[in-house]
Amino acid sequence: STQSTWENTKKMNNASVATSLSQRKVATRYGVSQAESVNKGASINDMSTTQSSKVMDTPVYHENMHWDLWAVLVLNILQGLIPPLLYFVVEPDKHIGSKVGYLRLYSCLDLAVNAPTYMITLYGTHLLVFPRFSSRHKQYNGRMLEFLSLFLATVFMYGHAVHAVGDAVGSYAEHSQYVSGLPTDLYALIHFMDEYLGHFLMFTAYYPLLAVWVLGTKLRGTSLQAGVAVLLGVMNGLFHSLACIEGGSPAVGFAGGLCVYLVCVYKSVALGGRRGRVQRPGEHQVVAILAVTSTTVLFCGMSYYRLVIGSFEEPSAIGGFKSVLSRLLQFPVSKM
């Protein structure tokens, strides 16, 4: 009888340790304090036992290196590398690669490569930030944020589709030397669809979408992930600063970036005022770091462009990107 009682006690203690460890992982991964986890119905047995206390003091949030945050970073690295590389390699020479059917090479790659890249990045990040299969989705009242994230991602894709079609038609007219034969208002409409409406929809959606992700996610990452997020934010900010100007949407870029700043300040204040929330060494709001870095570089890039060029005139209208980049890079040297 004594042996049986001892074995039952041992099993109960082991179950208590396993439950405590499991809930600790959930709490630290999604930014929920242990007190909040208990208040939301989590049952933890024998919290005062010595063995459970040792488990609770273990920094388990580094164990799996947050594969979902790494996935978010990898997806956004693809978005930060592929479209800029295609653009700066192929786009400056309007005749490179001749045509693929009726499409210029860049227009073909824009539809075949850039569009799937944007789609996988935006909707993949959405699924990682708002995982429906996770208990966090039920605990956190983020239904409206989830809907807003899907809506903004769809608006971005819609804007890219408008831009891709306008660019393909306009490029075909220029490549085939049909511009002089087109009615002035028709060519102006093609240019508006390509450079203004398409880019306006894309950047009206992109930075508010970053803000929604910052507000919606409770994932925290390591210092290494934070460093990768900074580098990624710099790449995104530089490319988007030129893309906003080329699309005639610098005001939209500034407004969207301001939205990101306000959301980050709000979330910082909200987290700071949460009771029972302990920020552990090495924890970082990686998505917020990515958003703030990208926005800061966007602001600096557009402001520097305005300082050097003297206006927000489109690069394609003042000699092309190669000429503009040369002026931007030579400006600090000329002032020395």
Side-chain angles (χ1 to χ4, degrees), residues 162-175:
V162 172
H163 155 72
V165 172
D167 180 69
V169 175
S171 298
Y172 181 83
E174 294 173 2
H175 185 78

Side-chain angles (χ1 to χ4, degrees), residues 24-55:
R24 175 62 175 226
K25 288 181 178 180
V26 172
T28 54
R29 185 176 184 180
Y30 296 120
V32 182
S33 68
Q34 189 62 51
E36 290 173 317
S37 180
V38 172
N39 291 335
K40 291 179 180 179
S43 59
I44 301 179
N45 301 316
D46 299 327
M47 288 293 294
S48 60
T49 61
T50 303
Q51 194 169 6
S52 296
S53 298
K54 290 181 179 179
V55 172

Side-chain angles (χ1 to χ4, degrees), residues 5 15 65 90-91 94 96 123 130-131 158 170 177 187-188 207 214 239 259 264-265 276 302 319:
T5 302
M65 293 299 287
V90 180
E91 176 67 9
K94 296 289 185 180
I96 187 169
Y123 290 112
F130 300 100
Y158 182 78
Q177 299 181 348
Y187 185 73
Y207 281 95
V214 169
F239 177 65
C259 178
C264 289
V265 170
M302 291 195 296

